[in-house]
Amino acid sequence: MKHKVTTVAALTLATSIAFNVYAYKVADHTEKVTPIEAPHYVDKQAVINALSTKSEIVGLTGKVAKTIEYKDAKWYGDKTYKLAATGTFKLGVDTSDIIVTTHGNTVTVKFPQPKIISVSLPFDKAKLSKDIGLLRKNISEGELQAMYGKARTGAIDDIKRDRQAFDKASESVERTIEALIKPVENVKNIEFVEAK
């Protein structure tokens, strides 16, 4: 009976030691788990909403002037008119033409080359000078309107040929788009790609 008590005591002691060692090892090898914060990405709709605050982005406002001359020489006298029209123009893009994509915290923007948004060449501000012979009649209202139409068309053609103005407008549009998008939450990078 003594032998059985000793064996039971020995088994109890061994079990207790083994449990304590096991508990120590489990406690010793437990890794601390730190919560990982989920990444925050740019919301594409938030970028689109930021751009939609403007219907168009004006990249450049400039002045334009065009002079048209009308000459009519007859044997009984000459008739010469000069119409000098001055005004302003705007180059830019419609925000509906801007394409944005998002990837993580980067926004990629594609916008077309700026276009002529408006040309203001007021007819009533045009200056008319004339040199007509004694036997000649004044220019008719229709001829005057035709001169103004040519001046307007010529001014628009001059603007279209001014590559420097369009380059400046493009740079300005890019800066404006950047200023509109930068405040959007989680935006880290803004990349511009050329529209084909």
Side-chain angles (χ1 to χ4, degrees):
M1 181 85 169
K2 188 178 180 187
H3 182 50
K4 271 190 174 183
V5 172
T6 310
T7 306
V8 172
L11 277 173
T12 305
L13 181 62
T15 305
S16 175
I17 291 170
F19 178 75
N20 286 336
V21 168
Y22 174 75
Y24 173 74
K25 282 188 175 182
V26 169
D28 189 42
H29 286 84
T30 304
E31 293 182 28
K32 290 184 180 176
V33 178
T34 52
I36 298 172
E37 194 174 312
H40 298 286
Y41 298 125
V42 178
D43 179 13
K44 183 179 177 180
Q45 190 57 50
V47 174
I48 292 168
N49 291 345
L51 289 172
S52 297
T53 58
K54 294 177 177 263
S55 61
E56 61 189 21
I57 297 174
V58 176
L60 180 72
T61 300
K63 292 185 177 179
V64 64
K66 193 68 178 175
T67 301
I68 296 294
E69 190 172 74
Y70 171 84
K71 277 189 176 187
D72 185 20
K74 301 285 185 192
W75 63 270
Y76 50 89
D78 294 339
K79 178 162 69 170
T80 304
Y81 283 86
K82 278 187 185 174
L83 179 93
T86 58
T88 58
F89 68 91
K90 291 179 183 178
L91 302 178
V93 297
D94 293 327
T95 51
S96 59
D97 294 334
I98 300 170
I99 299 167
V100 294
T101 54
T102 58
H103 182 72
N105 299 106
T106 300
V107 178
T108 304
V109 181
K110 187 189 291 187
F111 65 91
Q113 284 295 311
K115 63 182 180 182
I116 297 173
I117 291 175
S118 69
V119 176
S120 174
L121 217 64
F123 179 72
D124 57 342
K125 301 268 171 96
K127 293 182 179 168
L128 184 68
S129 60
K130 59 186 178 179
D131 180 16
I132 56 173
L134 289 172
L135 301 174
R136 299 301 307 264
K137 291 182 180 178
N138 275 333
I139 195 170
S140 70
E141 186 66 29
E143 289 170 318
L144 187 59
Q145 288 286 349
M147 283 181 71
Y148 171 76
K150 283 183 183 176
R152 183 175 173 75
T153 303
I156 291 170
D157 288 342
D158 289 349
I159 295 164
K160 286 179 180 174
R161 284 193 293 270
D162 190 350
R163 292 313 321 153
Q164 192 176 4
F166 281 89
D167 289 344
K168 283 182 183 176
S170 187
E171 289 169 15
S172 179
V173 165
E174 192 172 303
R175 286 193 303 271
T176 303
I177 291 171
E178 196 170 14
L180 289 169
I181 293 175
K182 226 173 199 177
V184 175
E185 195 174 5
N186 302 315
V187 172
K188 300 277 190 290
N189 302 310
I190 301 170
E191 295 175 353
F192 290 91
V193 293
E194 192 175 325
K196 304 257 171 152

